[in-house]
Amino acid sequence: MPGVALLLSAFGWVLLALAMIGTAYMAFATGVLARFLAQRSPASPRATPVTLLKPLYGAEPKLAENLATFLEQDHKGPVQVLFGVQRADDPAIAAVHALQRRYPEARIDLVIDGTPHGSNGKVGNLVNMMRQAAHGVLILSDSDMAVGREYIGQVLAALDQPGTGAVTCLYRGRGDAGFWSRLASAGPSYQFLVGLVFAKTRGLADPCMGSTIALRRETLDAIGGFAAFADVLADDHAIGQAVRARGLAIAIPPLLLVHASTETAFVELWKHELRWAATVRGVSPAGYAGSFIGIPLPIALAGMAIHPNYGLAITLAALAVRVATVRVVDRHAGEPTAPLWMLPLRDIASFAVFVASFFVRSVDWRGTELTMLDNGRVAAPSEMT
């Protein structure tokens, strides 16, 4: 039918136009990322006492190795590494005991406390851990992060800047469990990182991420402590909002940490990324809705199916920009996150997650289904009855 053909043709041109805009955006954003990462990140010379907070849950591939990077630091001041679990039979305890044997001179403390504090299990763990936090500067980071030797010094240097209330850190991916984990790790390395730095440097976003949240104890107390975020899914974002509400800035040093992906099957990747996407959608609906423009390759492929000739040229341009992004990230990381042939699969998966996230009303968090409420809050099944 002529009318249907005309509509299909128009739809194809719209897709190709969006793909061209997205490709131009990603090219510019990749340049911004390259300049940001090229900055020098000095370490603080001060011997500031620090407590590293590491909430744990279950065994993960390379867990002990990742945690050990926080003990192998060049920082000269006292460091307490405080681990927390909520069950006496948590397999992560074995990794903590192994670290205590490996680093007998380090102060490594473990809190085992299952006292509940709201729906967010990680935050509840942190509330229990704070009873044994020894120092006035706190650096919280997720269990799946790995860092370099100057991590503490660089974070403290950023925290020492006037008007700074908290420090958070960029991260790239690393697959630790085969194909699906490598596919998952390409997301933070080659897409999330680009958009985040662009938004931060252009004043479009002021992120605070679980990769690192460093702040002084008095700042944490002033925003209500960790307990104030016990029912919030995006606790890192909410902590950042609370810090900014007190007129303090959140700094991001040009430091690239490592996030270890551990997915061994597609369903794990899907659940994890859908939870993350739904979380971002909940805290920034408008910004998230427009983020599809940063995934131009699948859009170009769809447009090429309707207009092959023009579509092929735009698809190749989108692919070339994606390769340039990979080169920038891998150069600063010192190693590739994933092979180039994974890029189309990664971008198609990202677009599928983006679409599916608009239909999510509950998310899976470590085997527990949490219902999403207003203002980024969540409720466990027992709280819904």
Side-chain angles (χ1 to χ4, degrees):
M1 297 175 63
V4 174
L6 186 62
L7 285 174
L8 183 61
S9 177
F11 180 62
W13 289 121
V14 169
L15 289 174
L16 293 179
L18 290 172
M20 289 177 62
I21 295 170
T23 298
Y25 157 73
M26 285 298 289
F28 183 74
T30 296
V32 171
L33 175 65
R35 291 190 294 273
F36 184 88
L37 292 178
Q39 300 176 84
R40 294 189 64 186
S41 182
S44 173
R46 298 172 55 188
T48 305
V50 174
T51 291
L52 301 180
L53 299 170
K54 302 294 293 188
L56 304 178
Y57 181 92
E60 302 168 1
K62 298 186 178 180
L63 176 61
E65 291 89 336
N66 293 334
L67 298 177
T69 64
F70 291 85
L71 289 157
E72 297 175 352
Q73 294 290 305
D74 292 334
H75 181 60
K76 302 303 181 183
V79 177
Q80 175 198 28
V81 184
L82 181 57
F83 296 104
V85 296
Q86 295 174 298
R87 294 171 46 181
D89 61 349
D90 193 310
I93 294 175
V96 176
H97 288 163
L99 292 173
Q100 289 172 328
R101 292 190 297 270
R102 182 177 172 185
Y103 302 94
E105 297 182 356
R107 179 172 180 181
I108 302 174
D109 297 324
L110 173 64
V111 174
I112 303 174
D113 190 340
T115 305
H117 300 276
S119 303
N120 189 318
K122 185 186 85 172
V123 175
N125 199 354
L126 286 166
V127 172
N128 297 332
M129 293 166 62
M130 279 300 296
R131 297 166 189 158
Q132 291 194 30
H135 301 306
V137 173
L138 309 169
I139 303 180
L140 160 67
S141 58
D142 290 339
S143 62
D144 52 10
M145 305 304 299
V147 299
R149 297 187 66 90
E150 293 190 345
Y151 166 73
I152 293 178
Q154 291 175 332
V155 168
L156 290 179
L159 188 61
D160 285 341
Q161 295 303 306
T164 298
V167 177
T168 194
C169 289
L170 304 173
Y171 58 91
R172 53 98 175 179
R174 186 191 71 203
D176 287 347
F179 171 80
W180 292 110
S181 68
R182 296 202 75 186
L183 186 66
S185 68
S189 286
Y190 304 144
Q191 188 172 78
F192 173 70
L193 183 60
V194 186
L196 183 71
V197 171
F198 178 84
K200 173 67 175 179
T201 56
R202 292 303 181 269
L204 302 174
D206 201 6
C208 187
M209 300 168 287
S211 55
T212 289
I213 302 176
L215 72 174
R216 295 175 178 84
R217 188 188 291 262
E218 58 263 30
T219 303
L220 179 62
D221 291 341
I223 62 176
F226 289 121
F229 311 98
D231 287 315
V232 180
L233 180 60
D235 51 276
D236 46 6
H237 174 81
I239 291 171
Q241 280 189 317
V243 170
R244 288 190 297 271
R246 300 195 64 81
L248 298 171
I250 298 174
I252 300 183
L255 176 65
L256 201 56
L257 310 188
V258 176
H259 171 268
S261 296
T262 60
E263 293 84 351
T264 59
F266 172 76
V267 66
E268 292 180 44
L269 182 152
W270 182 258
K271 286 183 177 181
H272 181 203
E273 297 200 358
L274 201 57
R275 174 174 62 84
W276 180 85
T279 302
V280 177
R281 186 205 73 203
V283 299
S284 181
Y288 180 76
S291 66
F292 76 93
I293 205 69
I295 321 175
L297 186 57
I299 302 173
L301 289 169
M304 186 174 67
I306 302 173
H307 297 293
N309 293 332
Y310 290 100
L312 177 60
I314 295 171
T315 298
L316 291 175
L319 188 58
V321 169
R322 297 296 284 130
V323 171
T325 302
V326 169
R327 298 304 187 202
V328 167
V329 176
D330 288 353
R331 182 171 67 251
H332 287 278
E335 62 179 356
T337 297
L340 286 175
W341 62 263
M342 276 191 182
L343 276 177
L345 293 177
R346 175 62 262 180
D347 285 4
I348 290 170
S350 295
F351 197 83
V353 169
F354 171 80
V355 173
S357 67
F358 288 95
F359 302 94
V360 170
R361 295 296 175 266
S362 63
V363 294
D364 179 87
W365 190 85
R366 298 187 183 272
T368 299
E369 184 176 342
L370 302 176
T371 300
M372 302 182 71
L373 307 176
D374 294 334
N375 301 318
R377 305 188 77 82
V378 290
S382 59
E383 299 174 293
M384 299 296 293
T385 58

